[in-house]
C-alpha cells in the first residue's frame, strides 16, 4: 500500500500528490512551516491525511521550538497549521487533539523532553488510528456494495487521502478483498483532477478495475444502468448528516437519487462535526482561479477570465443513503444515529 505520510528521523515525509501520476516523488518537511505549505499547496490532501499532517506538523514544530517561548510558539504553530485549509474538519480535530495533550502535560508540570516525546508519539498514533479506522469502516461498508456491479466514486478518498487504505476506496478495497469482483468508475474531478490523477493511479496499483469518466458523463452512465452504487468520502459532516465533499459531489448525489442508485458516504468519525447543526455552516474553501483557467500550467481560458473556484460543495443528508464510519453505519434520520456513533463510539458498533 502506498505510504501517504510518514514520521522519519529526517522530518515528515509525504508523497507529492501534485506530481502524481507522472512522477512518484517524496517531500520531506523539516518544520511546521513546511508542513503547512505542503497542506496549502496540496502536496498532501484529503481530509484524514490533512489531519495526520497537522498532528505531525504540531509535533515537529514543538521539536524545533525554543524552551523559553514554548507556550507562545505552540499557539503560533497551531494557528499557522489551522490557517492552511478551512473545510476539512480533520485538520482542526487533529490540532485540538495535540493541544489537549500539550496543555494537559504542561498542567502536570511535565519536563520539556517528555512533552516533545509524547507529542511525537501522539502524532504517530493519529496516523495508526486513521489506518485502523479506514480498515474498520471498509469492513462495515463492504457488505453494502452490490455483488459484482459497478461503483462510481468522485475525487480521491483512497490511501492517498488518508493515513492509508482509504475511506470510499477502503470500502471498495474491503469488498474486493472479500472476493467481490467490482468495477470502479472514477470521475475525473475537475479542476484539480484528483479522480483522474490519483484514484485511477491508486486503484491500478492494486489491480482493481477502474474506468475514467469526465465529470459531465456521470448522469449519462447512471441513466444507462452502468452504475449500481456511489461511494464517496467527506471533508466535514454536520450533525444532521449534511456532507461537505469535493466540488461536484452534490451533482453526483442528486443524479444518483434521480436514478434510484444508493449514494454512500464513507468517513471516520473525526470527519463528523457535531458542533455544526447543518451543512450551511460548513466553510467552503475558494481556491486560486488558475486551477480553473489552466490545466497543468496550460492556459485554456482567455486571460482575465472571471472565475469561481469553490473546492467543495454540500450534499444535503436527504440524498445520502448511509454514512459509513469505523464505529458502524448510520442511516437516516442522521441526527441521533451519527451522534451515537461519534459519542458512544464502540458501543454504537454495527458488526456487519
Ligand atoms: O481538495 P482535496 O483533494 O483535499 O479534497 C479531498 C476530498 O474532497 C475527499 O473526497 C475527502 O477529503 C475525503 S478523503 C478520504
Amino acid at each position: 500500500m502506498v505510504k501517504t505520510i510518514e514520521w522519519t528521523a529526517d522530518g515528515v515525509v509525504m508523497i507529492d500528490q501534485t506530481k502524481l501520476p507522472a512522477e512518484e516523488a517524496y517531500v520531506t518537511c523539516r518544520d511546521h512551516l513546511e508542513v503547512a505549505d505542503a497542506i496549502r499547496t496540496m502536496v498532501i490532501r484529503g481530509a484524514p491525511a490533512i489531519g495526520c499532517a497537522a498532528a505531525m506538523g504540531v509535533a515537529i514544530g514543538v521539536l524545533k521550538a525554543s524552551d523559553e517561548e514554548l507556550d507562545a510558539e505552540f499557539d503560533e504553530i497551531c494557528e499557522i497549521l489551522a490557517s492552511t485549509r478551512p473545510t476539512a474538519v480533520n485538520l482542526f480535530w487533529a490540532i485540538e487533539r495535540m493541544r489537549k495533550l500539550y496543555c494537559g502535560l504542561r498542567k502536570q508540570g511535565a519536563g520539556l523532553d517528555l512533552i516533545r516525546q509524547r507529542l511525537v508519539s501522539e502524532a504517530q498514533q493519529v496516523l495508526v488510528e486513521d489506518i485502523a479506522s479506514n480498515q474498520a469502516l471498509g469492513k462495515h461498508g463492504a457488505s453494502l456494495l452490490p455483488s459484482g456491479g459497478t461503483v462510481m466514486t468522485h475525487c480521491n478518498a483512497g490511501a492517498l487521502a488518508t493515513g492509508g487504505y482509504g475511506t470510499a476506496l477502503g470500502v471498495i478495497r474491503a469488498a474486493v478483498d472479500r472476493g467481490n469482483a467490482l468495477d470502479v468508475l472514477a470521475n475525473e474531478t475537475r479542476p484539480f483532477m484528483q479522480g483522474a490523477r490519483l484514484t485511477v493511479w491508486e486503484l491500478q496499483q492494486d489491480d482493481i478495475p477502474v474506468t475514467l469518466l469526465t465529470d459531465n458523463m456521470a448522469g449519462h452512465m447512471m441513466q444507462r444502468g452502468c452504475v449500481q452504487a456511489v461511494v464517496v468520502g467527506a471533508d466535514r459532516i454536520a450533525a444532521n448528516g449534511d456532507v461537505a465533499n469535493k466540488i461536484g459531489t452534490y451533482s453526483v448525489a442528486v443524479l444518483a437519487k434521480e436514478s434510484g442508485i444508493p449514494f454512500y458516504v464513507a468517513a471516520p468519525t473525526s470527519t463528523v462535526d457535531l458542533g455544526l447543526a447543518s451543512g450551511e455552516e460548513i466553510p467552503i474553501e475558494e481556491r486560486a482561479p488558475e486551477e480553473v483557467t489552466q490545466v497543468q500550467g496550460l492556459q485554456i481560458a482567455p486571460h482575465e477570465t472571471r472565475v469561481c473556484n469553490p473546492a467543495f460543495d454540500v450534499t444535503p443528508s436527504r440524498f445520502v443513503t448511509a454514512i459509513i464510519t469505523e464505529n458502524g453505519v448510520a442511516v437516516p434520520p442522521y441526527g441521533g444515529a451519527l451522534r451515537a456513533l461519534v459519542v458512544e463510539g464502540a458501543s454504537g458498533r454495527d458488526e456487519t
Side-chain angles (χ1 to χ4, degrees), residues 121-143:
S121 305
E122 188 75 359
Q124 288 172 301
Q125 186 60 20
V126 168
L127 176 65
V128 168
E129 286 176 20
D130 186 61
I131 299 170
S133 289
N134 295 334
Q135 287 167 337
L137 71 83
K139 279 191 191 144
H140 290 306
S143 52

Side-chain angles (χ1 to χ4, degrees), residues 42 45-48 85 155 157 161-162 167 194 234-235 245-246 312:
M42 292 172 67
R45 34 66 50 199
R85 297 192 71 190
C155 193
T162 62
T167 55
Q194 290 94 331
D235 288 84
N245 191 47
K246 181 50 54 193
F312 301 94

Side-chain angles (χ1 to χ4, degrees), residues 281-318:
E281 297 171 47
I282 299 175
I284 300 294
E285 177 182 12
E286 181 76 24
R287 291 190 61 89
E290 292 74 29
E291 288 182 0
V292 176
T293 56
Q294 300 177 358
V295 173
Q296 310 268 279
L298 180 76
Q299 186 76 19
I300 56 159
H303 291 284
E304 312 298 326
T305 299
R306 204 159 6 114
V307 167
C308 194
N309 186 15
F312 301 94
D313 59 26
V314 174
T315 299
S317 61
R318 66 180 181 281

Side-chain angles (χ1 to χ4, degrees), residues 49-109:
I50 292 173
C52 295
M56 291 189 185
V58 172
I60 202 165
V62 169
L63 278 189
K64 304 276 161 93
S66 71
D67 287 359
E68 299 71 32
E69 301 290 334
L70 193 56
D71 286 339
E73 286 188 45
F74 182 86
D75 285 343
E76 196 188 317
I77 291 163
C78 293
E79 246 168 62
I80 288 170
L81 288 162
S83 69
T84 51
R85 297 192 71 190
T87 304
V89 75
N90 310 60
L91 177 87
F92 308 100
W93 169 89
I95 293 170
E96 271 324 293
R97 179 166 162 168
M98 299 298 281
R99 188 193 294 280
K100 230 187 209 164
L101 177 65
Y102 177 81
C103 293
L105 290 167
R106 279 305 245 177
K107 227 182 199 163
Q108 291 163 24

